[in-house]
Amino acid sequence: MTAQQSHDARACKQVDDGITRVFQLLGKRWTGQIVAVLVEQPAHFTDLRRAIPGISERMLSDRLTELGAAGLVLREVDEGPPLRVSYRLTEAGDALEPALRELAEWAKKHLPGAPACPSAARA
């Protein structure tokens, strides 16, 4: 009997498909932060850029496109002048709020460290 044949079948338990799909989307860099901003309120592209330090315009655009394709974000054109684009969560995107809140609380308890935003240290 080879080592491969003698292992415990429970060791081959697969990760839940739902968890895999969630982290394939929300586990990408910047995606969680974008959703967290939009949970609070709809935002224009420039407001999202300001709210997420370090994200490039290209990356923000790519992530918003992915979130739109996944049915979590709606892109709305605000007729001008000036012409502006805003983004808001769909019903499915809004449904992430409790999970994000729980993850934030978990992080505060189990991932101690400096706050990501320097102004948060003064609050």
Side-chain angles (χ1 to χ4, degrees), residues 44-111:
H44 291 101
F45 188 89
T46 54
D47 297 330
L48 285 166
R49 268 279 326 270
R50 278 185 282 231
I52 306 168
I55 192 169
S56 69
E57 284 187 16
R58 172 70 186 241
M59 184 60 67
L60 178 56
S61 179
D62 289 351
R63 292 296 182 257
L64 287 167
T65 299
E66 290 172 359
L67 288 165
L72 300 179
V73 169
L74 286 177
R75 179 182 187 268
E76 298 174 327
V77 178
D78 301 332
E79 295 303 325
L83 184 77
R84 295 179 75 189
V85 177
S86 63
Y87 297 87
R88 67 177 177 85
L89 293 178
T90 63
E91 186 177 327
D94 277 332
L96 287 168
E97 183 178 6
L100 290 175
R101 191 177 312 119
E102 287 295 320
L103 285 169
E105 288 302 314
W106 178 88
K108 288 175 189 172
K109 183 176 180 181
H110 298 285
L111 297 175

Short mmCIF file of all heavy atoms in Angstrom, two decimals, residues 44-111:
data_model
loop_
_atom_site.label_atom_id
_atom_site.label_comp_id
_atom_site.label_asym_id
_atom_site.label_seq_id
_atom_site.Cartn_x
_atom_site.Cartn_y
_atom_site.Cartn_z
N HIS A 44 -18.76 58.38 -5.72
CA HIS A 44 -18.20 58.66 -7.03
C HIS A 44 -16.82 58.02 -7.11
O HIS A 44 -16.18 57.77 -6.08
CB HIS A 44 -18.11 60.16 -7.28
CG HIS A 44 -19.44 60.80 -7.43
ND1 HIS A 44 -20.05 61.50 -6.42
CD2 HIS A 44 -20.30 60.84 -8.49
CE1 HIS A 44 -21.21 61.94 -6.83
NE2 HIS A 44 -21.40 61.55 -8.09
N PHE A 45 -16.37 57.83 -8.32
CA PHE A 45 -15.06 57.21 -8.54
C PHE A 45 -13.96 57.95 -7.78
O PHE A 45 -13.15 57.33 -7.09
CB PHE A 45 -14.75 57.19 -10.05
CG PHE A 45 -13.52 56.42 -10.41
CD1 PHE A 45 -13.60 55.08 -10.69
CD2 PHE A 45 -12.28 57.04 -10.48
CE1 PHE A 45 -12.47 54.35 -11.04
CE2 PHE A 45 -11.15 56.34 -10.82
CZ PHE A 45 -11.24 54.98 -11.10
N THR A 46 -13.95 59.27 -7.87
CA THR A 46 -12.89 60.05 -7.20
C THR A 46 -12.98 59.92 -5.68
O THR A 46 -11.95 59.91 -5.00
CB THR A 46 -12.94 61.54 -7.60
OG1 THR A 46 -14.25 62.04 -7.34
CG2 THR A 46 -12.60 61.73 -9.05
N ASP A 47 -14.19 59.82 -5.15
CA ASP A 47 -14.35 59.64 -3.70
C ASP A 47 -13.81 58.28 -3.26
O ASP A 47 -13.21 58.16 -2.19
CB ASP A 47 -15.81 59.78 -3.30
CG ASP A 47 -16.35 61.17 -3.59
OD1 ASP A 47 -15.57 62.14 -3.54
OD2 ASP A 47 -17.57 61.28 -3.88
N LEU A 48 -14.02 57.26 -4.08
CA LEU A 48 -13.46 55.95 -3.78
C LEU A 48 -11.94 55.99 -3.78
O LEU A 48 -11.29 55.43 -2.91
CB LEU A 48 -13.95 54.89 -4.78
CG LEU A 48 -15.40 54.42 -4.60
CD1 LEU A 48 -15.86 53.67 -5.83
CD2 LEU A 48 -15.51 53.57 -3.36
N ARG A 49 -11.38 56.67 -4.77
CA ARG A 49 -9.91 56.81 -4.83
C ARG A 49 -9.36 57.45 -3.58
O ARG A 49 -8.35 57.04 -3.03
CB ARG A 49 -9.50 57.70 -6.01
CG ARG A 49 -9.21 57.10 -7.30
CD ARG A 49 -7.95 56.46 -7.68
NE ARG A 49 -6.63 56.79 -7.29
CZ ARG A 49 -5.80 57.62 -7.89
NH1 ARG A 49 -6.18 58.31 -8.92
NH2 ARG A 49 -4.59 57.75 -7.47
N ARG A 50 -10.02 58.51 -3.11
CA ARG A 50 -9.57 59.20 -1.89
C ARG A 50 -9.74 58.34 -0.65
O ARG A 50 -8.94 58.43 0.28
CB ARG A 50 -10.31 60.51 -1.71
CG ARG A 50 -9.73 61.64 -2.52
CD ARG A 50 -10.47 62.90 -2.19
NE ARG A 50 -11.73 62.84 -2.90
CZ ARG A 50 -12.21 63.80 -3.67
NH1 ARG A 50 -11.59 64.92 -3.79
NH2 ARG A 50 -13.33 63.65 -4.32
N ALA A 51 -10.78 57.56 -0.62
CA ALA A 51 -11.09 56.75 0.56
C ALA A 51 -10.16 55.55 0.71
O ALA A 51 -10.05 54.98 1.79
CB ALA A 51 -12.54 56.27 0.51
N ILE A 52 -9.50 55.17 -0.39
CA ILE A 52 -8.64 53.98 -0.38
C ILE A 52 -7.24 54.39 -0.80
O ILE A 52 -6.87 54.29 -1.97
CB ILE A 52 -9.21 52.88 -1.31
CG1 ILE A 52 -10.66 52.58 -0.96
CG2 ILE A 52 -8.35 51.63 -1.23
CD1 ILE A 52 -11.39 51.74 -1.97
N PRO A 53 -6.44 54.86 0.15
CA PRO A 53 -5.09 55.32 -0.18
C PRO A 53 -4.25 54.21 -0.81
O PRO A 53 -4.30 53.06 -0.38
CB PRO A 53 -4.49 55.73 1.17
CG PRO A 53 -5.66 55.93 2.07
CD PRO A 53 -6.74 55.00 1.57
N GLY A 54 -3.55 54.57 -1.88
CA GLY A 54 -2.65 53.63 -2.52
C GLY A 54 -3.22 52.91 -3.72
O GLY A 54 -2.48 52.30 -4.49
N ILE A 55 -4.52 52.95 -3.92
CA ILE A 55 -5.11 52.25 -5.06
C ILE A 55 -4.96 53.14 -6.31
O ILE A 55 -5.17 54.34 -6.25
CB ILE A 55 -6.59 51.87 -4.82
CG1 ILE A 55 -7.07 50.89 -5.89
CG2 ILE A 55 -7.47 53.10 -4.73
CD1 ILE A 55 -8.41 50.26 -5.60
N SER A 56 -4.57 52.53 -7.41
CA SER A 56 -4.44 53.27 -8.66
C SER A 56 -5.80 53.37 -9.34
O SER A 56 -6.71 52.57 -9.07
CB SER A 56 -3.45 52.59 -9.59
OG SER A 56 -3.99 51.36 -10.06
N GLU A 57 -5.93 54.32 -10.25
CA GLU A 57 -7.18 54.46 -11.00
C GLU A 57 -7.47 53.19 -11.78
O GLU A 57 -8.61 52.73 -11.84
CB GLU A 57 -7.09 55.65 -11.96
CG GLU A 57 -7.24 56.97 -11.28
CD GLU A 57 -7.33 58.13 -12.25
OE1 GLU A 57 -7.58 57.90 -13.45
OE2 GLU A 57 -7.15 59.27 -11.80
N ARG A 58 -6.45 52.64 -12.39
CA ARG A 58 -6.63 51.42 -13.20
C ARG A 58 -7.12 50.25 -12.33
O ARG A 58 -8.04 49.52 -12.70
CB ARG A 58 -5.29 51.08 -13.88
CG ARG A 58 -5.25 49.76 -14.59
CD ARG A 58 -6.12 49.79 -15.83
NE ARG A 58 -6.19 48.48 -16.44
CZ ARG A 58 -5.77 48.22 -17.65
NH1 ARG A 58 -5.25 49.15 -18.39
NH2 ARG A 58 -5.87 47.01 -18.13
N MET A 59 -6.49 50.08 -11.16
CA MET A 59 -6.89 48.98 -10.28
C MET A 59 -8.31 49.18 -9.76
O MET A 59 -9.10 48.23 -9.71
CB MET A 59 -5.91 48.85 -9.10
CG MET A 59 -6.20 47.67 -8.20
SD MET A 59 -6.13 46.07 -9.04
CE MET A 59 -4.41 45.97 -9.43
N LEU A 60 -8.63 50.42 -9.39
CA LEU A 60 -9.99 50.70 -8.92
C LEU A 60 -11.00 50.40 -10.02
O LEU A 60 -12.02 49.74 -9.78
CB LEU A 60 -10.09 52.16 -8.47
CG LEU A 60 -11.48 52.61 -7.99
CD1 LEU A 60 -12.01 51.73 -6.86
CD2 LEU A 60 -11.43 54.08 -7.57
N SER A 61 -10.71 50.82 -11.22
CA SER A 61 -11.60 50.56 -12.35
C SER A 61 -11.75 49.06 -12.58
O SER A 61 -12.87 48.56 -12.77
CB SER A 61 -11.05 51.24 -13.60
OG SER A 61 -11.88 50.97 -14.70
N ASP A 62 -10.65 48.32 -12.55
CA ASP A 62 -10.70 46.87 -12.75
C ASP A 62 -11.53 46.19 -11.67
O ASP A 62 -12.36 45.32 -11.97
CB ASP A 62 -9.29 46.27 -12.77
CG ASP A 62 -8.50 46.62 -14.02
OD1 ASP A 62 -9.09 47.18 -14.98
OD2 ASP A 62 -7.28 46.34 -14.03
N ARG A 63 -11.30 46.57 -10.41
CA ARG A 63 -12.03 45.92 -9.31
C ARG A 63 -13.52 46.26 -9.37
O ARG A 63 -14.37 45.41 -9.11
CB ARG A 63 -11.44 46.32 -7.96
CG ARG A 63 -10.05 45.77 -7.70
CD ARG A 63 -10.07 44.24 -7.64
NE ARG A 63 -8.76 43.73 -7.35
CZ ARG A 63 -7.95 43.19 -8.23
NH1 ARG A 63 -8.31 43.06 -9.48
NH2 ARG A 63 -6.75 42.74 -7.88
N LEU A 64 -13.85 47.51 -9.71
CA LEU A 64 -15.26 47.88 -9.83
C LEU A 64 -15.93 47.10 -10.96
O LEU A 64 -17.08 46.68 -10.83
CB LEU A 64 -15.39 49.39 -10.06
CG LEU A 64 -15.11 50.25 -8.83
CD1 LEU A 64 -14.95 51.70 -9.23
CD2 LEU A 64 -16.20 50.09 -7.78
N THR A 65 -15.21 46.89 -12.04
CA THR A 65 -15.74 46.09 -13.15
C THR A 65 -16.00 44.66 -12.70
O THR A 65 -17.05 44.08 -13.01
CB THR A 65 -14.77 46.13 -14.35
OG1 THR A 65 -14.62 47.48 -14.78
CG2 THR A 65 -15.27 45.27 -15.50
N GLU A 66 -15.07 44.08 -11.96
CA GLU A 66 -15.24 42.71 -11.45
C GLU A 66 -16.43 42.63 -10.50
O GLU A 66 -17.22 41.68 -10.56
CB GLU A 66 -13.98 42.25 -10.72
CG GLU A 66 -12.81 42.00 -11.63
CD GLU A 66 -11.52 41.73 -10.86
OE1 GLU A 66 -11.54 41.75 -9.61
OE2 GLU A 66 -10.50 41.50 -11.52
N LEU A 67 -16.54 43.61 -9.60
CA LEU A 67 -17.66 43.61 -8.66
C LEU A 67 -18.99 43.80 -9.38
O LEU A 67 -20.00 43.21 -8.99
CB LEU A 67 -17.46 44.70 -7.60
CG LEU A 67 -16.36 44.41 -6.59
CD1 LEU A 67 -15.99 45.68 -5.82
CD2 LEU A 67 -16.79 43.30 -5.63
N GLY A 68 -18.98 44.58 -10.45
CA GLY A 68 -20.19 44.74 -11.25
C GLY A 68 -20.57 43.44 -11.95
O GLY A 68 -21.73 43.04 -11.95
N ALA A 69 -19.57 42.77 -12.52
CA ALA A 69 -19.82 41.49 -13.20
C ALA A 69 -20.33 40.43 -12.23
O ALA A 69 -21.11 39.55 -12.61
CB ALA A 69 -18.55 41.02 -13.90
N ALA A 70 -19.91 40.52 -10.97
CA ALA A 70 -20.36 39.57 -9.95
C ALA A 70 -21.73 39.93 -9.39
O ALA A 70 -22.28 39.20 -8.57
CB ALA A 70 -19.33 39.51 -8.82
N GLY A 71 -22.28 41.06 -9.82
CA GLY A 71 -23.60 41.46 -9.35
C GLY A 71 -23.61 42.13 -8.00
O GLY A 71 -24.66 42.20 -7.36
N LEU A 72 -22.48 42.66 -7.57
CA LEU A 72 -22.40 43.30 -6.26
C LEU A 72 -22.43 44.82 -6.31
O LEU A 72 -22.77 45.47 -5.33
CB LEU A 72 -21.13 42.86 -5.52
CG LEU A 72 -21.01 41.36 -5.25
CD1 LEU A 72 -19.70 41.06 -4.54
CD2 LEU A 72 -22.19 40.86 -4.44
N VAL A 73 -22.05 45.40 -7.45
CA VAL A 73 -21.95 46.86 -7.58
C VAL A 73 -22.66 47.30 -8.86
O VAL A 73 -22.56 46.65 -9.90
CB VAL A 73 -20.47 47.30 -7.62
CG1 VAL A 73 -20.33 48.75 -8.01
CG2 VAL A 73 -19.80 47.06 -6.28
N LEU A 74 -23.36 48.42 -8.75
CA LEU A 74 -23.99 49.05 -9.91
C LEU A 74 -23.24 50.33 -10.25
O LEU A 74 -22.91 51.11 -9.35
CB LEU A 74 -25.44 49.40 -9.62
CG LEU A 74 -26.44 48.27 -9.59
CD1 LEU A 74 -27.82 48.80 -9.23
CD2 LEU A 74 -26.50 47.57 -10.94
N ARG A 75 -23.00 50.54 -11.52
CA ARG A 75 -22.35 51.75 -12.03
C ARG A 75 -23.45 52.64 -12.58
O ARG A 75 -24.26 52.21 -13.41
CB ARG A 75 -21.37 51.38 -13.13
CG ARG A 75 -20.66 52.53 -13.77
CD ARG A 75 -19.74 52.00 -14.89
NE ARG A 75 -18.91 53.04 -15.42
CZ ARG A 75 -19.23 53.81 -16.45
NH1 ARG A 75 -20.38 53.65 -17.07
NH2 ARG A 75 -18.39 54.74 -16.88
N GLU A 76 -23.49 53.89 -12.12
CA GLU A 76 -24.52 54.82 -12.55
C GLU A 76 -23.86 56.09 -13.07
O GLU A 76 -22.99 56.65 -12.41
CB GLU A 76 -25.48 55.14 -11.41
CG GLU A 76 -26.21 53.91 -10.92
CD GLU A 76 -27.07 54.17 -9.70
OE1 GLU A 76 -26.67 55.03 -8.87
OE2 GLU A 76 -28.11 53.52 -9.57
N VAL A 77 -24.29 56.53 -14.24
CA VAL A 77 -23.75 57.76 -14.82
C VAL A 77 -24.64 58.91 -14.38
O VAL A 77 -25.85 58.90 -14.61
CB VAL A 77 -23.68 57.66 -16.36
CG1 VAL A 77 -23.18 58.97 -16.95
CG2 VAL A 77 -22.79 56.50 -16.77
N ASP A 78 -24.04 59.88 -13.73
CA ASP A 78 -24.74 61.09 -13.31
C ASP A 78 -24.60 62.11 -14.43
O ASP A 78 -23.49 62.53 -14.75
CB ASP A 78 -24.14 61.66 -12.01
CG ASP A 78 -24.18 60.66 -10.86
OD1 ASP A 78 -25.07 59.80 -10.86
OD2 ASP A 78 -23.32 60.76 -9.97
N GLU A 79 -25.73 62.47 -15.04
CA GLU A 79 -25.68 63.42 -16.15
C GLU A 79 -25.13 64.74 -15.64
O GLU A 79 -25.45 65.19 -14.56
CB GLU A 79 -27.07 63.61 -16.73
CG GLU A 79 -27.61 62.35 -17.38
CD GLU A 79 -26.72 61.78 -18.48
OE1 GLU A 79 -26.10 62.57 -19.21
OE2 GLU A 79 -26.66 60.55 -18.61
N GLY A 80 -24.28 65.34 -16.41
CA GLY A 80 -23.60 66.56 -16.04
C GLY A 80 -24.36 67.78 -16.45
O GLY A 80 -25.55 67.72 -16.62
N PRO A 81 -23.65 68.82 -16.68
CA PRO A 81 -22.19 68.82 -16.54
C PRO A 81 -21.77 68.99 -15.08
O PRO A 81 -22.53 69.58 -14.33
CB PRO A 81 -21.73 69.98 -17.40
CG PRO A 81 -22.91 70.91 -17.47
CD PRO A 81 -24.14 70.08 -17.25
N PRO A 82 -20.68 68.52 -14.68
CA PRO A 82 -19.84 67.57 -15.41
C PRO A 82 -20.41 66.17 -15.30
O PRO A 82 -21.10 65.84 -14.35
CB PRO A 82 -18.49 67.67 -14.70
CG PRO A 82 -18.86 67.97 -13.28
CD PRO A 82 -20.09 68.85 -13.36
N LEU A 83 -20.08 65.36 -16.26
CA LEU A 83 -20.49 63.97 -16.27
C LEU A 83 -19.70 63.24 -15.18
O LEU A 83 -18.48 63.33 -15.15
CB LEU A 83 -20.19 63.35 -17.64
CG LEU A 83 -20.66 61.92 -17.82
CD1 LEU A 83 -22.17 61.91 -18.06
CD2 LEU A 83 -19.96 61.29 -19.00
N ARG A 84 -20.39 62.57 -14.27
CA ARG A 84 -19.71 61.84 -13.19
C ARG A 84 -20.30 60.44 -13.10
O ARG A 84 -21.46 60.23 -13.40
CB ARG A 84 -19.88 62.55 -11.85
CG ARG A 84 -19.19 63.90 -11.83
CD ARG A 84 -19.38 64.59 -10.52
NE ARG A 84 -18.53 63.95 -9.52
CZ ARG A 84 -18.60 64.23 -8.23
NH1 ARG A 84 -19.45 65.09 -7.77
NH2 ARG A 84 -17.80 63.61 -7.37
N VAL A 85 -19.48 59.52 -12.64
CA VAL A 85 -19.91 58.14 -12.47
C VAL A 85 -19.92 57.82 -10.98
O VAL A 85 -18.97 58.13 -10.26
CB VAL A 85 -18.97 57.17 -13.23
CG1 VAL A 85 -19.39 55.73 -13.00
CG2 VAL A 85 -18.98 57.50 -14.72
N SER A 86 -21.01 57.24 -10.53
CA SER A 86 -21.09 56.82 -9.14
C SER A 86 -21.33 55.31 -9.08
O SER A 86 -21.77 54.69 -10.04
CB SER A 86 -22.19 57.57 -8.39
OG SER A 86 -23.45 57.28 -8.93
N TYR A 87 -21.03 54.77 -7.94
CA TYR A 87 -21.15 53.33 -7.72
C TYR A 87 -21.91 53.09 -6.42
O TYR A 87 -21.75 53.83 -5.45
CB TYR A 87 -19.76 52.69 -7.61
CG TYR A 87 -18.98 52.84 -8.89
CD1 TYR A 87 -18.20 53.97 -9.12
CD2 TYR A 87 -19.05 51.87 -9.89
CE1 TYR A 87 -17.51 54.13 -10.32
CE2 TYR A 87 -18.36 52.03 -11.08
CZ TYR A 87 -17.59 53.15 -11.29
OH TYR A 87 -16.92 53.31 -12.46
N ARG A 88 -22.75 52.07 -6.45
CA ARG A 88 -23.47 51.68 -5.24
C ARG A 88 -23.60 50.17 -5.23
O ARG A 88 -23.50 49.51 -6.27
CB ARG A 88 -24.83 52.35 -5.16
CG ARG A 88 -25.82 51.91 -6.19
CD ARG A 88 -27.17 52.60 -5.96
NE ARG A 88 -28.11 52.24 -7.00
CZ ARG A 88 -28.88 51.15 -6.97
NH1 ARG A 88 -28.80 50.31 -5.96
NH2 ARG A 88 -29.72 50.90 -7.96
N LEU A 89 -23.81 49.65 -4.04
CA LEU A 89 -23.96 48.20 -3.91
C LEU A 89 -25.36 47.78 -4.34
O LEU A 89 -26.33 48.52 -4.15
CB LEU A 89 -23.73 47.77 -2.46
CG LEU A 89 -22.32 47.94 -1.93
CD1 LEU A 89 -22.24 47.51 -0.47
CD2 LEU A 89 -21.31 47.17 -2.75
N THR A 90 -25.45 46.62 -4.90
CA THR A 90 -26.73 46.00 -5.21
C THR A 90 -27.27 45.39 -3.92
O THR A 90 -26.62 45.44 -2.86
CB THR A 90 -26.56 44.88 -6.25
OG1 THR A 90 -25.72 43.87 -5.67
CG2 THR A 90 -25.96 45.40 -7.54
N GLU A 91 -28.42 44.79 -4.00
CA GLU A 91 -28.98 44.10 -2.83
C GLU A 91 -28.01 43.01 -2.35
O GLU A 91 -27.80 42.84 -1.15
CB GLU A 91 -30.34 43.50 -3.19
CG GLU A 91 -31.07 42.89 -2.02
CD GLU A 91 -32.45 42.38 -2.40
OE1 GLU A 91 -33.10 42.96 -3.29
OE2 GLU A 91 -32.87 41.37 -1.79
N ALA A 92 -27.42 42.29 -3.30
CA ALA A 92 -26.45 41.24 -2.94
C ALA A 92 -25.22 41.86 -2.26
O ALA A 92 -24.69 41.30 -1.30
CB ALA A 92 -26.03 40.45 -4.17
N GLY A 93 -24.76 43.00 -2.77
CA GLY A 93 -23.62 43.68 -2.15
C GLY A 93 -23.95 44.17 -0.76
O GLY A 93 -23.16 44.03 0.18
N ASP A 94 -25.15 44.75 -0.59
CA ASP A 94 -25.58 45.21 0.73
C ASP A 94 -25.64 44.07 1.74
O ASP A 94 -25.40 44.27 2.93
CB ASP A 94 -26.97 45.86 0.65
CG ASP A 94 -26.92 47.31 0.21
OD1 ASP A 94 -25.89 47.98 0.45
OD2 ASP A 94 -27.92 47.77 -0.37
N ALA A 95 -25.95 42.89 1.27
CA ALA A 95 -26.07 41.73 2.15
C ALA A 95 -24.72 41.33 2.76
O ALA A 95 -24.68 40.56 3.72
CB ALA A 95 -26.68 40.54 1.40
N LEU A 96 -23.63 41.88 2.25
CA LEU A 96 -22.29 41.60 2.81
C LEU A 96 -22.03 42.38 4.10
O LEU A 96 -21.10 42.05 4.84
CB LEU A 96 -21.20 41.95 1.80
CG LEU A 96 -21.05 41.01 0.63
CD1 LEU A 96 -20.16 41.64 -0.43
CD2 LEU A 96 -20.46 39.69 1.10
N GLU A 97 -22.82 43.41 4.37
CA GLU A 97 -22.54 44.28 5.52
C GLU A 97 -22.38 43.52 6.85
O GLU A 97 -21.39 43.75 7.55
CB GLU A 97 -23.59 45.37 5.66
CG GLU A 97 -23.27 46.32 6.80
CD GLU A 97 -24.28 47.45 6.95
OE1 GLU A 97 -25.30 47.45 6.24
OE2 GLU A 97 -24.01 48.33 7.76
N PRO A 98 -23.28 42.64 7.22
CA PRO A 98 -23.09 41.94 8.51
C PRO A 98 -21.80 41.12 8.55
O PRO A 98 -21.10 41.10 9.56
CB PRO A 98 -24.31 41.03 8.63
CG PRO A 98 -25.33 41.61 7.70
CD PRO A 98 -24.56 42.28 6.60
N ALA A 99 -21.46 40.47 7.44
CA ALA A 99 -20.23 39.68 7.40
C ALA A 99 -19.01 40.58 7.52
O ALA A 99 -18.05 40.25 8.23
CB ALA A 99 -20.17 38.85 6.12
N LEU A 100 -19.02 41.72 6.84
CA LEU A 100 -17.89 42.65 6.93
C LEU A 100 -17.75 43.21 8.33
O LEU A 100 -16.64 43.37 8.84
CB LEU A 100 -18.05 43.79 5.92
CG LEU A 100 -17.90 43.42 4.46
CD1 LEU A 100 -18.21 44.62 3.57
CD2 LEU A 100 -16.50 42.90 4.18
N ARG A 101 -18.87 43.51 8.95
CA ARG A 101 -18.84 44.02 10.33
C ARG A 101 -18.23 42.98 11.27
O ARG A 101 -17.39 43.30 12.11
CB ARG A 101 -20.25 44.40 10.78
CG ARG A 101 -20.25 45.17 12.08
CD ARG A 101 -21.64 45.63 12.53
NE ARG A 101 -22.39 46.28 11.48
CZ ARG A 101 -23.56 45.83 11.00
NH1 ARG A 101 -24.11 44.75 11.50
NH2 ARG A 101 -24.19 46.48 10.05
N GLU A 102 -18.63 41.73 11.11
CA GLU A 102 -18.08 40.65 11.94
C GLU A 102 -16.59 40.46 11.69
O GLU A 102 -15.82 40.26 12.63
CB GLU A 102 -18.82 39.34 11.67
CG GLU A 102 -20.21 39.29 12.26
CD GLU A 102 -20.21 39.34 13.78
OE1 GLU A 102 -19.36 38.70 14.41
OE2 GLU A 102 -21.08 40.04 14.33
N LEU A 103 -16.17 40.53 10.43
CA LEU A 103 -14.74 40.40 10.12
C LEU A 103 -13.94 41.55 10.73
O LEU A 103 -12.84 41.34 11.24
CB LEU A 103 -14.53 40.34 8.61
CG LEU A 103 -14.88 39.03 7.94
CD1 LEU A 103 -14.87 39.18 6.43
CD2 LEU A 103 -13.94 37.92 8.38
N ALA A 104 -14.50 42.75 10.70
CA ALA A 104 -13.81 43.90 11.30
C ALA A 104 -13.65 43.70 12.81
O ALA A 104 -12.57 43.97 13.36
CB ALA A 104 -14.56 45.19 11.00
N GLU A 105 -14.69 43.23 13.46
CA GLU A 105 -14.60 42.97 14.90
C GLU A 105 -13.60 41.86 15.20
O GLU A 105 -12.84 41.94 16.16
CB GLU A 105 -15.98 42.63 15.48
CG GLU A 105 -16.91 43.81 15.55
CD GLU A 105 -16.34 44.96 16.38
OE1 GLU A 105 -15.82 44.71 17.48
OE2 GLU A 105 -16.42 46.11 15.91
N TRP A 106 -13.61 40.82 14.40
CA TRP A 106 -12.66 39.73 14.57
C TRP A 106 -11.24 40.25 14.44
O TRP A 106 -10.36 39.90 15.23
CB TRP A 106 -12.94 38.63 13.54
CG TRP A 106 -11.96 37.50 13.63
CD1 TRP A 106 -12.07 36.39 14.42
CD2 TRP A 106 -10.72 37.38 12.92
NE1 TRP A 106 -10.96 35.59 14.23
CE2 TRP A 106 -10.12 36.18 13.33
CE3 TRP A 106 -10.07 38.18 11.99
CZ2 TRP A 106 -8.90 35.75 12.84
CZ3 TRP A 106 -8.85 37.76 11.49
CH2 TRP A 106 -8.27 36.56 11.92
N ALA A 107 -11.00 41.10 13.45
CA ALA A 107 -9.66 41.64 13.23
C ALA A 107 -9.20 42.49 14.41
O ALA A 107 -8.04 42.40 14.83
CB ALA A 107 -9.63 42.47 11.94
N LYS A 108 -10.10 43.29 14.97
CA LYS A 108 -9.75 44.11 16.14
C LYS A 108 -9.33 43.23 17.32
O LYS A 108 -8.41 43.57 18.05
CB LYS A 108 -10.93 44.99 16.56
CG LYS A 108 -11.18 46.12 15.60
CD LYS A 108 -12.43 46.89 16.01
CE LYS A 108 -12.82 47.87 14.94
NZ LYS A 108 -14.12 48.49 15.20
N LYS A 109 -9.98 42.11 17.45
CA LYS A 109 -9.71 41.22 18.59
C LYS A 109 -8.50 40.32 18.35
O LYS A 109 -7.70 40.09 19.25
CB LYS A 109 -10.95 40.36 18.86
CG LYS A 109 -10.81 39.46 20.06
CD LYS A 109 -12.11 38.73 20.32
CE LYS A 109 -11.98 37.81 21.52
NZ LYS A 109 -13.22 37.08 21.78
N HIS A 110 -8.36 39.81 17.15
CA HIS A 110 -7.36 38.77 16.89
C HIS A 110 -6.17 39.19 16.03
O HIS A 110 -5.22 38.43 15.89
CB HIS A 110 -8.03 37.56 16.23
CG HIS A 110 -9.07 36.93 17.10
ND1 HIS A 110 -8.76 36.16 18.19
CD2 HIS A 110 -10.42 36.98 17.04
CE1 HIS A 110 -9.87 35.75 18.77
NE2 HIS A 110 -10.90 36.24 18.09
N LEU A 111 -6.23 40.36 15.45
CA LEU A 111 -5.12 40.86 14.64
C LEU A 111 -4.68 42.22 15.18
O LEU A 111 -4.81 43.24 14.50
CB LEU A 111 -5.53 41.00 13.17
CG LEU A 111 -5.92 39.72 12.44
CD1 LEU A 111 -6.40 40.04 11.03
CD2 LEU A 111 -4.76 38.74 12.41
#
